[in-house]
Amino acid sequence: MGGFGNFAISFSVICILAGGMTLFGYGMNTGGPAVMIWGWVGIGAMTLLLGMCLAEVTSAYPTSGGLYYMAHRLGGPRWAWVTGWLNLLGLLGAIAGIDYGCALFVGAFASLQWGLTPTPETTILIFAGTLVLHGALNAAGVRLVNVLNSISVWWQLFGVALIVGALTLAPAQHQSVSFVFGHYTNGTGFSSPLYVASLGCLLAAYTFCGYDASSHLSEETTQAQIAAPRGIVRSIAWSWAAGFVLLAGLLFAIQDYNGTLSSSTGVPPAQIFIDVLGTGMAKGLLVVVIIAQLFCGNAETAAASRMVYAFSRDGSLPFSSTWRRVSHRTRTPIAAVWLSVSVALVLALPSLYSPTAYAAVTAINVIGITPAYAIPVYLRLRAGRAFQPGPWHLGGWSRPLGLLSVVYVIVLTVVFCLPQASPITAESFNYAGVALAVVLLLAWVTWITKGKRDYKVPPLGSAAQNAALAGDVL
């Protein structure tokens, strides 16, 4: 990959037409337009700062292992072990969240086109088919993934422009500025506006996940010490700007708030399209969104499979010898690809019986991957002058921005482990915190039983060593 390809995979994984659209209804119910807009602005700004700090460390250690390799170099094997497991949880949760969201939109399209009523069972079947598609595309090799990611960038930008343009130019009535930037709605059952607003930030926090893909694909990128950190920062910045335009365009176009929230399609943005543009145009825009989400899920599968591959290459997963195998034909870790989509399927199965399970899946993504972003930043701060920066660095801004980023991640992680709906029942329970606890327990048990003995990270040394390391996977 070149620099644009590396940027494209992170931009594709962030995918505002996935996170911003699939959690749109969640945002309408959890704080409403005011929280959605200002949450996007605030979370986007903090994500950019965190991304810049992470990019600095990436420039020093560009490998497929990404975050956990950075943690190993800066803090030792125990830090690397925990970081790797958290990163893996977040990446697999991201595949589940993206592809399940795509399945919801496919169900909405089927409802308009053929009158199919979306049910949890049909959604899971569509979701499983989407996972198989992404497994097959990734098994075909990184060249195809690179082409699809490059197309994805322009498709997303075109899609946002088309959707916002169509909704803006339509003759239908539009909401006021005060509504879009100031209307608050609380359907969670909790009474505290601050608590509800904190929960509502999940929409933005979930969307701004996955930019570490640039790091995971760095061994397959030319001039990675510059291209990978630039890919991280640019993907966040472009997504921040384009996502704001998309959210504002959708909120201005809402015709009936309650009707949109309770849409028979199961997807509130689809109801906005129908109300403003009619069924025919709505179906066309849904196709645009679905294709963007397919691009996104495919890119996330690529990133997650490289994490599985790299972690297995260092002997960190059960049956590592299987997951680190590379195809002789495509030079791709095919076993890692299929493991990634299989675990994603398991993570989303609770959606069959729980109406809040999808929000929990997205929270798993956030509380798994975001702390994994912060650990290398924290360890870089702890290392002080012992850290040798790469060619892309923050200079004197590194320490203050790093401290701010670590505090932000701690607060965010705590918030998204909290209950998201009241009263708290078996159906409304947020099992994201349970998933985090299980993964941390699994990481501890495997460290005691396996990691101390088998965990080995290959050193980055001479040019010959680096070439041999990069040659494992193309």
Side-chain angles (χ1 to χ4, degrees), residues 72-132:
H72 178 88
R73 296 281 292 186
L74 293 169
R78 290 188 181 182
W79 280 104
W81 192 266
V82 174
T83 304
W85 278 96
L86 287 173
N87 193 195
L88 189 59
L89 171 67
L91 288 168
L92 297 175
I95 297 175
I98 293 164
D99 282 3
Y100 191 85
C102 180
L104 291 173
F105 272 75
V106 172
F109 177 83
S111 175
L112 296 178
Q113 182 68 24
W114 300 295
L116 174 68
T117 301
T119 65
E121 291 78 14
T122 58
T123 302
I124 282 290
L125 288 175
I126 298 170
F127 169 61
T130 306
L131 290 174
V132 171

Side-chain angles (χ1 to χ4, degrees), residues 96-274:
I98 293 164
D99 282 3
Y100 191 85
C102 180
L104 291 173
F105 272 75
V106 172
F109 177 83
S111 175
L112 296 178
Q113 182 68 24
W114 300 295
L116 174 68
T117 301
T119 65
E121 291 78 14
T122 58
T123 302
I124 282 290
L125 288 175
I126 298 170
F127 169 61
T130 306
L131 290 174
V132 171
L133 172 64
H134 288 149
L137 290 174
N138 274 270
V142 75
R143 296 184 186 277
L144 176 59
V145 172
N146 189 28
V147 171
L148 293 175
N149 289 335
S150 299
I151 297 172
S152 173
V153 173
W154 301 111
W155 187 271
Q156 287 192 57
L157 294 175
F158 160 77
V160 171
L162 178 63
I163 290 170
V164 175
L167 294 177
T168 302
L169 297 176
Q173 182 179 357
H174 289 78
Q175 298 289 344
S176 65
V177 173
S178 61
F179 172 86
V180 172
F181 290 90
H183 182 72
Y184 172 81
T185 299
N186 178 14
T188 64
F190 296 106
S191 58
S192 170
L194 179 60
Y195 185 82
V196 173
S198 299
L199 294 178
C201 288
L202 176 60
L203 183 153
Y206 167 64
T207 305
F208 284 115
C209 279
Y211 46 87
D212 59 314
S214 290
S215 175
H216 291 298
L217 273 292
S218 57
E219 288 182 26
E220 301 160 72
T221 302
T222 58
Q223 298 181 331
Q225 287 187 296
I226 294 292
R230 283 180 178 173
I232 291 172
V233 175
R234 289 174 178 175
S235 64
I236 297 171
W238 276 96
S239 298
W240 189 22
F244 180 85
V245 173
L246 177 64
L247 283 179
L250 289 168
L251 291 171
F252 272 114
I254 292 176
Q255 303 297 300
D256 177 1
Y257 200 91
N258 291 330
T260 299
L261 196 54
S262 59
S263 173
S264 60
T265 65
V267 176
Q271 192 62 48
I272 296 175
F273 298 159
I274 295 169

Side-chain angles (χ1 to χ4, degrees), residues 5-6 36 38 61 72 91 94-95 107 126 180 183 207 223-224 246 248 292 298 312 325 348 350 364 387 412 438 440:
N6 187 275
M36 296 167 74
W38 294 114
Y61 309 115
H72 178 88
L91 288 168
I95 297 175
I126 298 170
V180 172
H183 182 72
T207 305
Q223 298 181 331
L246 177 64
N298 191 64
S312 299
R325 290 176 184 170
I364 286 174
F387 173 72
L412 200 68
V438 168
L440 291 176

Side-chain angles (χ1 to χ4, degrees), residues 264-286:
S264 60
T265 65
V267 176
Q271 192 62 48
I272 296 175
F273 298 159
I274 295 169
D275 292 343
V276 177
L277 302 167
T279 302
M281 187 66 175
K283 289 188 289 186
L285 292 184
L286 280 175

